[in-house]
């Protein structure tokens, strides 16, 4: 599929994979650390780690020769998944935590809760439905071009929700 979301989910769409990446980004590297923290069966963990290494999100490194033991180091590609994790965390806290947030993103300089948003790196502007839309890219096949075509202009929505 040409869809970048489908391609990404092929690599990280299984929930164990996302939790392994979460822990790797936090600094975990060893099989037993992942297993203990996630309470995951060894055979499932082995499959997920192998898939994440094959996808280039983790790197497998030998840290002990006798017996052979490996650690799993987050790669730059894997580290680029951090904003997605933070977005999932914020979304989950907002919509699926009626008891309140159990994990929060905070500003280290103030200690105050942070509210992540998606921002265009080029302009620094927040990305909203009113300001940005998907369009077919240069590698888009006919199906994607038909589906997306040129971006449609949407009317600006006022603060009270009226156009």
């Amino acid at each position: 599929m040409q869809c970048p979301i489908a391609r990404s989910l092929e690599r990280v769409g299984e929930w164990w994979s996302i939790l392994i990446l979460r822990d790797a980004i936090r600094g975990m590297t060893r099989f037993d650390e992942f297993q203990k923290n996630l309470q995951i069966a060894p055979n499932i963990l082995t499959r997920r780690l192998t898939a994440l290494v094959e996808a280039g999100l983790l790197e497998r490194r030998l840290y002990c020769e006798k017996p052979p033991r490996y650690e799993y180091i987050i790669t730059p590609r894997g580290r680029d998944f951090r904003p997605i994790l933070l977005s999932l965390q914020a979304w989950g806290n907002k919509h699926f935590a009626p008891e309140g947030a159990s994990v929060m993103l905070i500003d280290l300089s103030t200690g105050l809760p942070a509210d992540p948003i998606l921002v265009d790196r080029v302009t620094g502007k927040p990305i909203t439905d009113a300001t940005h839309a998907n369009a077919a890219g240069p590698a888009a096949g006919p199906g994607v071009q038909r589906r997306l075509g040129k971006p449609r202009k949407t009317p600006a929505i006022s603060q009270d929700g009226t156009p």
Side-chain angles (χ1 to χ4, degrees):
M1 290 187 86
Q2 281 197 317
C3 175
I5 294 171
R7 288 178 178 175
S8 299
L9 287 173
E10 188 176 325
R11 274 66 174 195
V12 299
E14 205 273 334
W15 69 290
W16 283 120
S17 297
I18 293 172
L19 296 177
I20 291 166
L21 285 172
R22 176 201 64 190
D23 288 353
I25 288 170
R26 289 184 186 156
M28 289 185 193
T29 61
R30 305 238 171 123
F31 188 95
D32 58 331
E33 292 175 313
F34 292 118
Q35 187 178 21
K36 182 179 178 184
N37 192 57
L38 296 171
Q39 305 279 307
I40 182 175
N43 61 328
I44 294 171
L45 180 56
T46 298
R47 281 196 306 267
R48 299 291 18 124
L49 288 169
T50 299
L52 291 168
V53 168
E54 288 172 358
L57 299 163
L58 296 176
E59 179 183 323
R60 186 175 181 228
R61 289 189 195 156
L62 185 69
Y63 73 87
C64 181
E65 288 189 20
K66 293 185 180 178
R69 300 247 187 242
Y70 295 89
E71 61 184 352
Y72 297 87
I73 308 299
I74 193 83
T75 64
R77 180 182 288 184
R79 192 159 299 288
D80 283 349
F81 194 69
R82 185 172 186 261
I84 295 141
L85 286 171
L86 295 175
S87 295
L88 279 170
Q89 177 180 299
W91 183 66
N93 279 340
K94 181 177 180 179
H95 296 288
F96 305 112
E99 72 286 356
S102 59
V103 176
M104 298 178 358
L105 179 66
I106 61 164
D107 180 316
L108 291 176
S109 64
T110 65
L112 296 173
D115 187 13
I117 60 169
L118 192 57
V119 175
D120 178 2
R121 186 183 308 273
V122 175
T123 65
K125 293 180 182 177
I127 295 175
T128 68
D129 289 340
T131 60
H132 295 79
N134 284 326
V144 173
Q145 290 176 3
R146 268 193 313 280
R147 186 167 50 87
L148 294 178
K150 291 186 178 187
R152 290 180 280 169
K153 297 263 183 187
T154 55
I157 305 295
S158 67
Q159 297 253 344
D160 66 1
T162 59

